[in-house]
Amino acid sequence: MNTQVDQIFAQRAFDETIVKELEKSGKHPVLARILAARGVLPDEVNKSTLNDLLPWNGPNGLKGIVEAANLLADAVQTGKKIVIVADYDADGATACAVGIRALRAMGAIVDFAVPDRMTMGYGLSIDVVKFAARMKPDLLLTVDNGISSHDGVDYANELGIPVIVTDHHLAGETLPAAVAIVNPNQPGCRFPSKNIAGVSFYLMLALRHVLKEREHFHTRPIPNMANLLDLVALGTVADVVKLDHNNRILVANGLKHLVGNSCNKGIAALIQVSERDRLKIKSIDLGFLIGPRLNAAGRMADMSAGIRCLATDNSDEAMELATELDQLNRERRKVEASMCEDVEPLLQNIKSIGQYTLALYDPQWHTGVIGILASRVKDKVHRPVITFAPGIASGQIRGSGRSIVGFHLRDALERINYLHPGLMQSFGGHAMAAGLTIEEARLGEFRTAFEKVGQEWLTPDLLTNKFEHDGPLDVSSMNVAVIETVTNETWGQGFPTPVFEGEFKVARQRILKEKHSKLTLSQNGKQVDGIFFGFADSLPEQIKAFFSVEINEWMGAKTVQISIKRVGQG
């Protein structure tokens, strides 16, 4: 297969009227143009405090949250044991830590259980309920899972253990028989932010409100929920959910808390083992530095180490666990590199670029890393990709998929399930990421069904890789003050880091570590430093570059540097 796909470069469109309004509100013209291109409206641009968060209650609040908060309040006040059942990814770990910390601060008896990815699979399965039941819980609280766990909830009910489900994954045609469900994506929920990963945080806010009304805090301090926002920020960015306005408020305020004296000990330790300065952490660092180290626990072992790291107030314990997570991440990178090498022959054997989807399997692949592999392949071929590895049961394989804009992966699996009942033993997920389990013997049948949906739903336009940028930015405009206004914003999924275009003369190029280019570029007599990661070939004298901007700080001096993403001859 020729894995090169069509690519076009396009500047993000924006409304000049909105730009002018944003400038009037105090935004620099460069930043105003960027924000307008991302749909930011003048009436929301300066609404960034915790008071501007969407309310958890009221007609547009989270459905089921009042019932869930009252049930938790009953458990807290009667000394019943609550066991949190977490997911094994980063936002599952952060949501669990939020619940543990908040419930403990409110006087609850609380513990947690997290499934082993390799032996128990995803969600509140029957095996997970059996595991959690050993802790003798009076109430189970799921975080970041449970919306499709019908069998597990039914089994818990048989044992006499009520279940509260908090989740943000898409619901199926029916809901599990839980005593309460809090999920913005369940039918009938009018909460505007369908992308929120901080459902656990919102539930803890509601619980504190209920306990205050019950005068529970006469004998204990009222917990400051802002102390949990660094966890919420980490989970939101690491789960790659869309940074809508509400999520940006959560992340921005979480970052402010993260650089303060009361930063979560586990997050601080993870930043330290990443060899970064906590005071300079940006939102993108949560996704590329901290999230992978936390996720490594769930991918390579089990997430309990990650949860303990985020739940402890002991700095030494946090550092010990963070070091363990860092080592697991190193192992994950080695496995990922090997799997990326393995996948190349599979891509070469695909003869036609006309294929709309990919479903790949290797019995040697690691179940915990197939999601990353799917993402890597998707970025290369710009098609929906599902990669499979051996499952828990004999003859079973588990798939993790990643999609492209315009192809809702979870809905595609729902369509396959409708057309081919029983082909998938289980499935679930989001628009851009989903998982499933099938019999190995039926992989060919699934590939055919997946490709058929791909051909029905995808178009040549969707299969064209669009590289969007924010238009020109001249060296003359690249002063430190301007660039800091850009880099200090909260960027992430659905609110991408700005990328600009410009033509430069390559005044100097030297190769770093045999794989990167360190550059001195000039434009109209003015020079700027540049870095081109992963590029070690010789550049022509004149180039057209697509680049992001950043601040370099050395010996107290700040300078502007551009980081090149794409390059062509000028």
Side-chain angles (χ1 to χ4, degrees):
M1 171 182 177
N2 176 11
T3 57
Q4 297 299 315
V5 297
D6 293 335
Q7 185 175 67
I8 61 173
F9 295 86
Q11 182 176 344
R12 293 184 178 92
F14 57 86
D15 186 328
E16 192 64 49
T17 303
I18 300 296
V19 173
K20 296 299 182 184
E21 291 296 320
L22 293 174
E23 289 179 18
K24 289 179 182 178
S25 73
K27 296 300 180 183
H28 187 278
V30 172
L31 183 58
R33 184 183 82 195
I34 296 167
L35 295 177
R38 284 152 183 77
V40 174
L41 299 175
D43 64 348
E44 70 180 27
V45 69
N46 291 318
K47 294 180 179 179
S48 58
T49 71
L50 297 180
N51 290 330
D52 298 311
L53 283 173
L54 294 170
W56 54 265
N57 57 351
N60 294 322
L62 282 159
K63 180 181 179 182
I65 198 169
V66 173
E67 294 83 352
N70 276 288
L71 289 166
L72 285 173
D74 292 343
V76 171
Q77 294 190 301
T78 57
K80 292 182 177 179
K81 185 175 184 179
I82 303 166
V83 171
I84 300 174
V85 179
D87 188 16
Y88 43 61
D89 63 0
D91 71 310
T94 54
C96 185
V98 164
I100 291 170
R101 287 180 164 279
L103 286 167
R104 284 177 180 170
M106 296 180 207
I109 302 170
V110 60
D111 204 343
F112 76 91
V114 60
D116 186 313
R117 182 193 296 259
M118 311 306 171
T119 61
M120 297 180 183
Y122 170 78
L124 187 69
S125 64
I126 291 176
D127 286 341
V128 172
V129 173
K130 290 178 178 178
F131 174 65
R134 300 174 194 167
M135 303 177 186
K136 301 188 182 305
D138 297 299
L139 177 67
L140 292 179
L141 170 65
T142 75
V143 291
D144 194 39
N145 74 93
I147 196 63
S148 58
S149 300
H150 297 77
D151 292 343
V153 172
D154 289 344
Y155 184 67
N157 289 335
E158 290 177 15
L159 297 179
I161 308 172
V163 179
I164 297 173
V165 168
T166 71
D167 203 348
H168 66 115
H169 294 90
L170 295 174
E173 293 183 1
T174 60
L175 298 177
V179 290
I181 297 175
V182 187
N183 183 334
N185 290 300
Q186 68 174 308
C189 184
R190 298 173 63 184
F191 190 72
S193 179
K194 302 301 182 182
N195 305 290
I196 186 170
V199 178
S200 173
F201 176 73
Y202 263 74
L203 178 55
M204 294 304 118
L205 288 175
L207 172 59
R208 184 183 65 170
H209 175 80
V210 170
L211 289 174
K212 284 171 68 175
E213 286 191 330
R214 296 186 184 187
E215 301 183 346
H216 176 73
F217 295 112
H218 278 339
T219 57
R220 67 175 61 249
I222 300 174
N224 181 0
M225 301 300 287
N227 290 335
L228 303 172
L229 283 172
D230 48 7
L231 288 167
V232 178
L234 173 57
T236 299
V237 175
D239 200 42
V240 203
V241 295
K242 181 180 179 181
L243 289 190
D244 59 21
H245 185 231
N246 202 63
N247 279 338
R248 292 202 307 278
I249 293 175
L250 289 170
V251 173
N253 284 277
L255 286 169
K256 291 176 183 177
H257 184 72
L258 189 149
V259 300
N261 293 329
S262 56
C263 173
N264 179 279
K265 295 291 192 297
I267 296 179
L270 286 167
I271 294 172
Q272 187 172 338
V273 299
S274 304
E275 299 180 344
R276 292 299 179 96
D277 184 346
R278 178 167 61 88
L279 302 182
K280 298 177 182 178
I281 289 293
K282 307 290 187 184
S283 56
I284 193 170
D285 297 318
L286 298 179
F288 285 98
L289 292 175
I290 314 306
R293 286 170 169 80
L294 189 57
N295 266 322
R299 295 187 186 282
M300 308 305 294
D302 73 79
M303 186 49 87
S304 58
I307 295 171
R308 294 201 312 273
C309 181
L310 300 177
T312 185
D313 287 320
N314 184 296
S315 296
D316 292 338
E317 182 184 10
M319 180 54 64
E320 181 180 342
L321 289 165
T323 302
E324 178 184 338
L325 294 172
D326 185 60
Q327 181 57 43
L328 287 171
N329 191 51
R330 294 173 190 273
E331 294 176 15
R332 187 271 304 169
R333 285 201 296 255
K334 291 179 181 178
V335 172
E336 178 191 340
S338 175
M339 289 168 59
C340 285
E341 289 181 5
D342 292 343
V343 82
E344 284 299 327
L346 298 179
L347 297 181
Q348 295 301 323
N349 289 336
I350 298 171
K351 301 300 182 182
S352 174
I353 194 66
Q355 193 163 340
Y356 282 58
T357 63
L358 291 180
L360 307 172
Y361 169 62
D362 190 308
Q364 301 304 314
W365 283 346
H366 193 294
T367 305
V369 187
I370 51 174
I372 298 176
L373 180 65
S375 181
R376 298 285 185 265
V377 176
K378 181 267 298 182
D379 289 343
K380 186 171 186 177
V381 303
H382 196 68
R383 271 132 176 78
V385 175
I386 299 176
T387 50
F388 289 88
I392 299 170
S394 176
Q396 180 190 79
I397 58 176
R398 294 169 58 191
S400 184
R402 299 294 184 269
S403 194
I404 60 175
V405 173
F407 188 83
H408 197 299
L409 191 54
R410 200 269 180 194
D411 284 357
L413 297 181
E414 183 79 59
R415 177 64 175 166
I416 293 170
N417 189 56
Y418 173 77
L419 295 172
H420 306 273
L423 174 58
M424 295 179 292
Q425 296 171 348
S426 63
F427 69 94
H430 297 296
M432 304 303 286
L436 68 152
T437 302
I438 63 173
E439 295 177 10
E440 181 181 352
R442 304 189 72 178
L443 176 59
E445 185 180 349
F446 175 81
R447 280 180 174 140
T448 300
F450 188 39
E451 177 67 11
K452 187 174 188 300
V453 174
Q455 291 184 7
E456 290 174 351
W457 290 8
L458 288 165
T459 64
D461 183 61
L462 291 173
L463 292 173
T464 300
N465 190 7
K466 295 179 181 178
F467 186 90
E468 293 188 307
H469 60 86
D470 292 284
L473 183 67
D474 296 335
V475 174
S476 58
S477 300
M478 295 182 196
N479 63 69
V480 169
V482 171
I483 302 311
E484 283 188 328
T485 65
V486 173
T487 58
N488 287 338
E489 284 290 324
T490 302
W491 309 108
Q493 179 68 23
F495 205 75
T497 302
V499 174
F500 305 98
E501 66 171 338
E503 294 191 5
F504 303 92
K505 180 180 178 181
V506 180
R508 185 184 178 204
Q509 178 183 8
R510 60 188 178 93
I511 307 303
L512 303 177
K513 299 181 181 179
E514 301 182 348
K515 58 182 179 180
H516 311 303
S517 290
K518 179 69 174 175
L519 305 167
T520 301
L521 304 171
S522 66
Q523 183 186 76
N524 299 324
K526 296 181 179 294
Q527 289 192 337
V528 64
D529 290 333
I531 187 77
F532 195 174
F533 290 110
F535 186 91
D537 296 334
S538 179
L539 286 168
E541 181 179 353
Q542 194 79 18
I543 61 171
K544 182 174 184 178
F546 297 90
F547 58 91
S548 61
V549 288
E550 54 194 39
I551 299 294
N552 260 349
E553 189 169 353
W554 176 253
M555 302 292 288
K558 294 181 179 180
T559 58
V560 176
Q561 175 178 273
I562 71 173
S563 179
I564 297 178
K565 310 302 179 184
R566 298 283 191 282
V567 69
Q569 190 163 336

